[in-house]
Each structure stands twice: as C-alpha cells, then as structure tokens.
C-alpha cells in the first residue's frame, strides 16, 4: 500500500492535522497494521517537500506546534494518477512455501508433514477471518474476502503440490 497516496487521498476531504490523518488511516485501512505517528509525520514532511501538500495552519498548544496539512493541486493530480494506474498482479513465482518443499525433499525431510502443517495454519487463519467477516462492516468484509480468496488459492496449491510430491522428488534428485 502506498501510505503517501493514501494520506493524500484522505486530505482531499479537507485539511487535517497529522494526528487526525493517523486516526482516519487506522480507522479505514490500518485495523491490522496501524501507522506509527513518526511514519505519518515523516511522510507528511516528504509530501510537503515535494509540493504535494502545504501547511494550512499552525496551532500552538501545550506541546509542540500542530500543523494542519492541505493537499495541493499537484497532490490531487498525483492521487488521480495513482488511482488510475492498475496494480501489478503478484504472480508469486518464487514463494517461501515452494522453497521449503524443495529443501525438505533435498534434505530428506518429510515434505508431506510440512504441507500438512502449512495447510493447518492456513485453515486456522481462514477460520479467524471468517469469524471477523461475520461481525465486521462492509469494508472489513471486503478485506477479509480478499485475504480468504488468496488463502484458498494457496490451499489449492498445497493440495496440488502434495499430489505431485513423488514426481517433484524424483525430478530434483536427478
């Protein structure tokens, strides 16, 4: 995820302080990985330097000054370009799971057990996501669906690999 583009997009609704940006980000996108305040302020500093945001006001308080940021026209253009650019699909052509299976076979370890353990971990995570989906709002349901579909694809790969283990073992040992 592009944190800078996400923060810029949040600023399109109107000027905000870094604290408010962090809260808005965490509420919409950071349930599982909230932003650190330092990450927000370093990103805003970079966006300011690049002319994508400007300081809309500074408030003095009991602590450090609070800057309120606003998106610039260049920032709006940058967000529009980012939103219009499709994300590169992740083909996973070199996965850790594949590497583990091959190394297990090369070293004489039980690749079937490795696949079974991984399958159990995927299923455990899927059960948790299914529970979360059942109690979440629409945004959370969509995020869970995305993760569940990827985990289902992984499970299909685990099953296919298990069915082909003997053949894979013979090919890597020749």
């Amino acid at each position: 995820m592009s944190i800078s583009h996400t923060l810029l997009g949040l600023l399109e609704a109107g000027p905000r302080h870094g604290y408010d940006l962090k809260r808005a980000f965490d509420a919409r996108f950071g349930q599982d990985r909230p932003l650190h305040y330092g990450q927000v302020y370093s990103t805003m500093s970079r966006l300011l330097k690049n002319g994508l945001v400007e300081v809309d006001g500074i408030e003095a308080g009991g602590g450090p000054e609070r800057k309120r940021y606003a998106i610039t026209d260049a920032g709006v253009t940058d967000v529009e370009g980012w939103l219009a650019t499709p994300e590169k699909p992740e083909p996973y052509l070199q996965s850790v799971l594949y590497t583990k299976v091959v190394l297990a076979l090369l070293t004489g370890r039980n690749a079937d057990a490795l696949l079974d353990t991984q399958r159990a971990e995927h299923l455990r995570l899927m059960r948790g996501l299914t529970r979360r989906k059942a109690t979440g709002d629409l945004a959370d349901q969509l995020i869970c669906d995305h993760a569940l579909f990827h985990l289902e694809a992984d499970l299909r790969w685990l099953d296919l690999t298990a069915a082909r283990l003997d053949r894979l073992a013979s090919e890597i040992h020749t």
Side-chain angles (χ1 to χ4, degrees), residues 23-54:
R23 286 185 30 207
F25 181 96
D26 290 351
R28 294 277 184 205
F29 312 108
Q31 295 92 343
D32 296 316
R33 295 180 72 194
L35 285 180
H36 296 286
Y37 285 105
Q39 192 173 13
V40 172
Y41 292 110
S42 65
T43 301
M44 296 313 296
S45 177
R46 195 169 46 257
L47 293 172
L48 186 63
K49 182 178 131 193
N50 293 335
L52 301 176
V53 298
E54 62 190 7

Side-chain angles (χ1 to χ4, degrees), residues 117-145:
T117 300
Q118 191 62 53
R119 186 178 297 104
E121 183 61 18
H122 272 61
L123 291 171
R124 183 195 63 74
L125 182 55
M126 290 174 81
R127 284 189 295 275
L129 287 168
T130 301
R131 282 191 300 274
R132 176 176 164 180
K133 181 179 158 181
T135 61
D137 60 11
L138 180 58
D140 211 32
Q141 291 171 16
L142 290 171
I143 289 168
C144 289
D145 281 339

Side-chain angles (χ1 to χ4, degrees), residues 75-88:
V76 171
T77 300
D78 197 59
V79 171
E80 285 174 352
W82 179 67
L83 290 173
T85 304
E87 290 297 309
K88 181 182 177 199

Side-chain angles (χ1 to χ4, degrees), residues 104-116:
L105 292 171
L106 285 173
T107 59
R109 289 182 173 88
N110 188 340
D112 277 314
L114 182 150
L115 292 170
D116 287 343

Side-chain angles (χ1 to χ4, degrees), residues 1-17 20-22 24-25 28-29 35 43-44 47 52-53 69-84:
M1 172 189 308
S2 172
I3 292 169
S4 59
H5 286 110
T6 305
L7 293 176
L8 282 172
L10 290 171
L11 280 174
E12 284 199 57
R16 297 183 191 210
H17 296 96
D20 296 326
L21 282 169
K22 180 205 175 342
F25 181 96
R28 294 277 184 205
F29 312 108
L35 285 180
T43 301
M44 296 313 296
L47 293 172
L52 301 176
V53 298
Y69 299 96
I71 191 168
T72 63
D73 290 342
V76 171
T77 300
D78 197 59
V79 171
E80 285 174 352
W82 179 67
L83 290 173

